[in-house]
Each structure stands twice: as C-alpha cells, then as structure tokens.
Amino acid sequence: MEIIHQSGYLSSVPLQKKLATLEELYNRPDNPYSVHELCDALGVARGTFYNHIFRRADRSKYEKEQAQLMLKVKQVFDDSGQRFGAEKIRIILADGGIHVSKKRILAIMQEMGLSSVRVDAKKQFKRKQQYEKQNLLKREFSAGHPNQIWVSDITYFKVKSYWVYFCIILDLYSRKIVGWRVSRNMSTNLVTATFKAAFQERGQPQNLTFHSDRGKQYMSKALTGLFQKYGVKQSFSATARPLDNAVAETFFSTFKREEAYRKDYTSEQHFRRSTEEYIRFYNEVRPHQTLNYKTPQAFEDAYKPVLSESDV
C-alpha cells in the first residue's frame, strides 16, 4: 500500500470514485478493516467519508418518502375516478395529515403520467381514440393478398398557368396502381370518384383497408360515409409524418423523376395522356425490386390463394 501512495496514482483518482469504492468496501459483510484503515488506504479524510455516508442516508430516506407519497397520490387519483388534479389531491392528503405542496404533487403526477379530466376531455378522448383506431398500418407496408390494403395520395403539377391534381390508389400487395384520376380541383370528389372506379373495377373487394394521410379530402364525411357503406376500414397516417404513407410517396417520387420532370406539358389533356401511358408502363413493364423484379401486374397474376384443408 505504501508503494501505491508513493507512486502518486491515488492523486489522479477522482474523489467521488474513491468515496464510492470506500462505501462498497465499508458495507461488505466480510470487511475486516476499520473506517480509519480504509480511509488511510485510499487517502480520504474520515470526515469527508462520514459526510458522504450521511448524505447517502438522507437521500435514501427522501427516496423512500417519495415512493410512499407517489403511492398515496396514485391512490387518491384513482379513488376520484381519475378526476382530481394536483390541488384537490393536495387537499385530500392534507385532510389525512400529509402536508405537501401542490408543486410537488404536480411533479409526481407528471412523472407517473397521471392526467386529470379536462374541460375538453371528450374532445381529447375522441382524438386519441381516432388516432389509435385509424393508424392501422404503423409503417408495416405489406399485404398477404390483393385488395387487402390500398394506399392513396394526391400530388399536383403546374401546367401552363394552372394547377392540376393527380390522385392515385395503389394496392399494397402488388404495388399496382388500381385507380387514378386527374382534375383541376383538389376536391373530395377527386378522391371519391377515384375510389368508386377502382372499387368497381376490382370487383368490390371485401375486408378492404384504405390508408392515406389526413388531408381534408380523405377525412371528409362524403368519403367516410362511402367507406361505411362498402365496409371499408379507414387508416390514417399521423399528422406531418409522410413516412407513414411511404409507398404512395415513393410512387409519386418515381413518377416525377421518370416522367413528369422530363416533359413540358402543354395542356391538362397532355398531362392526362402522359399519366395514363406511364401508369401502364409502371404496372405492366417496369420491374420492382420489392417484387423480386417482377412487374406489379405479373406479381399479382402469380398470386395463388392458400387453400385450407376444408377447401381441398
């Protein structure tokens, strides 16, 4: 030990590390050394070590009190049917002889995620319920068969002096564009008309999920009513999260790069013809890496439903 002191090594060890080591050795059941010997060995004043131990004891006592208080706050909160806020909980605890500040109770509630009923509770509940029920994909962009999940989006282009809007519906299984429409108006009718045409052409599929962003066209009463009529489950991306609808976004990116940005459209009709030609190319000619380099049409044509033993 004398050699270690003479080497000067201990002077380079931080005090907190020495104190932690001393505390560990001091608390060992088989420790044969006195506090005096341990402190001398590591070059720490005994008063410094005792202060450290006492502070640790005080902190442990506070932590125990805090844990008990957290249980009391949770109990009062639950007994109130999750209605009481920090001030009412403080009053209930004070009536029981536990006197703590509103600020401390509020901090505990925040730490435990306890939110009392608010004036706009119904609105908040519906908003949370809507998000939880309608964010169905959660970035799992795969389907087991055609017409199981469709994704949709709208983009826009300037043609001469006006804007045109391009809506697509894509089958997540094969990445095939199953519906599309071009219009000068970014209206609800643009989406409903695109959906109706695709729904009829695809044989009115059952148990269909339709995923989109939260644009007003997709959240309109006209579209949601149409989906209820046909038994279609609606799924929404989270607000301002384009990656939640990445497959539709990717198609538009590809369309712009391979087609739209390479042409100077002279009219809405010109844009529509160009779009129609590209979608035919995209569906029937262009291989997709995610489809093992098959085209969407070929991938869909190769689909063979798995038959159960009762169907054989």
Side-chain angles (χ1 to χ4, degrees), residues 78-181:
D78 288 340
D79 288 347
S80 73
Q82 302 182 347
R83 296 180 179 88
F84 287 176
E87 176 60 18
K88 289 184 179 179
I89 292 176
R90 183 193 68 78
I91 293 172
I92 296 297
L93 291 178
D95 288 343
I98 302 174
H99 299 279
V100 290
S101 68
K102 175 183 174 181
K103 183 178 179 181
R104 185 175 177 184
I105 294 174
L106 185 60
I108 288 174
M109 292 181 71
Q110 290 175 343
E111 183 179 349
M112 298 179 72
L114 307 180
S115 299
S116 61
V117 175
R118 297 166 49 172
V119 174
D120 59 346
K122 185 176 181 180
K123 181 179 178 181
Q124 293 294 327
F125 174 76
K126 284 188 173 181
R127 184 179 298 172
K128 180 181 179 183
Q129 187 180 52
Q130 181 188 59
Y131 176 81
E132 289 178 346
K133 287 186 175 181
Q134 294 180 342
N135 188 22
L136 303 178
L137 265 60
K138 298 179 180 178
R139 300 189 185 182
E140 292 292 332
F141 301 119
S142 61
H145 58 78
N147 297 325
Q148 180 183 2
I149 303 172
W150 290 356
V151 298
S152 181
D153 202 358
I154 301 172
T155 193
Y156 52 89
F157 298 89
K158 194 168 187 179
V159 176
K160 294 301 182 181
S161 60
Y162 55 85
W163 295 94
V164 294
Y165 300 92
F166 177 26
C167 174
I168 60 103
I169 298 176
L170 181 149
D171 190 304
L172 203 54
Y173 173 76
S174 62
R175 303 301 200 264
K176 180 180 179 180
I177 303 300
V178 297
W180 66 277
R181 197 175 188 87

Side-chain angles (χ1 to χ4, degrees), residues 13-14 19 25 44 46 67 75 100 114 120 125 154 205 229 233 235 245 253 264 278 283 291:
V13 178
L19 290 171
L25 294 171
V44 176
R46 290 191 299 279
Q75 182 179 350
V100 290
L114 307 180
D120 59 346
F125 174 76
I154 301 172
K229 176 181 176 181
K233 291 182 291 185
S235 172
N245 200 18
S253 176
D264 185 15
Y278 181 79
N283 283 341
L291 306 177

Side-chain angles (χ1 to χ4, degrees), residues 16 22 36 43 47 50 68 82 86 92 102 114 128 133 174 177 193 232 235 241 247 256 277 309:
Q16 289 302 319
L22 280 171
H36 177 82
Y50 281 128
Q68 292 174 355
Q82 302 182 347
I92 296 297
K102 175 183 174 181
L114 307 180
K128 180 181 179 183
K133 287 186 175 181
S174 62
I177 303 300
V232 176
S235 172
R241 292 188 182 179
V247 177
K256 292 173 182 177
E277 291 171 3
E309 293 183 2

Side-chain angles (χ1 to χ4, degrees), residues 259 263 272-282:
E259 180 70 13
K263 294 188 177 180
R272 186 177 284 108
R273 287 196 304 270
S274 174
T275 301
E276 183 176 9
E277 291 171 3
Y278 181 79
I279 288 177
R280 186 180 300 112
F281 164 79
Y282 181 89

